[in-house]
Amino acid sequence: MTDDGTADQRATDQPATDDRVLWVTGGGSGMGAAAAQVAARSGWRLVLSGRRTDRLDTVAAGIRAAGGTADVLPLDATDPEAVTAARDTVLGRHGRHGRIDGLVLSAGLNSPRRRSDDQSMTDLRAVIDTNLTAVVQVVDAALPALRRSGGVVVVVSSYAGWSSQPGAGVAYSASKTALGPVVRTLNQQEAHHGVRATHLCPGDVATDFLDQRPSVPDAAARAVMLMPEDVGRAVGFVLSAPAHVRIDELVLSPVSQR
């Protein structure tokens, strides 16, 4: 408890489990979808964002069929005005004063052209905008609500954001590595509001994202990788931590990771 009673007030204001709102970007597939499904089973109310409405609808339908709550909010998170409008929609849909209790930022992009001698500057900017700038934009938009709730942020980064992986490419490696300082800065600056963030760094995961590799892994290679559900459970672990616990960084990888 602080001298002015802030912590006591925050504890009093904590919502019931089934009132907490979790906004997931990249929620239509892969790790984002898996994280949403795990969170829904724990009682979170989901808002699923991404560019592909059909996939978001499929994930939301599955959550609802299992007894959970999920809204669909299509979004291009690289568009600042769209992010602000989406934030306002989330707040307008949930509660008299609106609330966002958590973010899972899982949207990602890479290009098969990954070498300095063959990369496209257009692709490079798109990768950095998606993997880095969009993350900061969504956090910035949601921050006032996260301060009110003492919220939790899970930034789904990459093994390449934790350990140098030249094969991941110039743009991808740079953008994911930059997420570490983004998370550390957020934790340092917002701790007094109870906001806490995690830099989550998965190794190889068997998702459609692998199709963006110069050499697409075959079924045998994918069989020894992490599954999206493995990452979903890791996100669930972070989300379930008590409000006084911060998990600054979490790395998980398959035994086969190189």
Side-chain angles (χ1 to χ4, degrees), residues 132-218:
L132 176 59
T133 308
V135 168
V136 178
Q137 285 179 166
V138 175
V139 171
D140 181 76
L143 188 56
L146 292 169
R147 285 173 169 172
R148 291 193 296 270
S149 64
V152 57
V153 178
V154 183
V155 176
V156 180
S157 180
S158 168
Y159 199 84
W162 175 72
S163 173
S164 176
Q165 301 290 309
V170 176
Y172 188 85
S173 294
S175 60
K176 292 296 188 178
T177 299
L179 292 174
V182 168
V183 168
R184 289 192 293 274
T185 301
L186 183 64
N187 281 334
Q188 182 184 61
Q189 295 176 350
E190 296 299 326
H192 64 292
H193 290 294
V195 176
R196 57 208 191 277
T198 298
H199 184 219
L200 179 62
C201 302
D204 292 336
V205 186
T207 70
D208 292 346
F209 196 77
L210 297 174
D211 296 340
Q212 300 179 27
R213 289 189 176 182
S215 178
V216 177
D218 61 17

Side-chain angles (χ1 to χ4, degrees), residues 58-177:
T58 298
V59 176
I63 288 172
R64 294 176 193 133
T69 302
D71 288 342
V72 168
L73 182 59
L75 173 65
D76 177 357
T78 67
D79 180 340
E81 293 182 359
V83 169
T84 300
R87 183 273 318 275
D88 292 343
T89 298
V90 175
L91 295 177
R93 288 179 181 176
H94 295 280
R96 184 174 62 181
H97 302 295
R99 67 179 314 116
I100 298 172
D101 300 275
L103 295 177
V104 173
L105 303 167
S106 184
L109 182 67
N110 205 348
S111 167
R113 297 171 62 181
R114 302 181 178 188
R115 296 176 54 85
S116 297
D117 58 6
D118 77 344
Q119 66 186 351
S120 155
M121 289 296 101
T122 299
D123 289 348
L124 181 142
R125 283 187 288 271
V127 170
I128 292 174
D129 281 350
T130 300
N131 295 349
L132 176 59
T133 308
V135 168
V136 178
Q137 285 179 166
V138 175
V139 171
D140 181 76
L143 188 56
L146 292 169
R147 285 173 169 172
R148 291 193 296 270
S149 64
V152 57
V153 178
V154 183
V155 176
V156 180
S157 180
S158 168
Y159 199 84
W162 175 72
S163 173
S164 176
Q165 301 290 309
V170 176
Y172 188 85
S173 294
S175 60
K176 292 296 188 178
T177 299

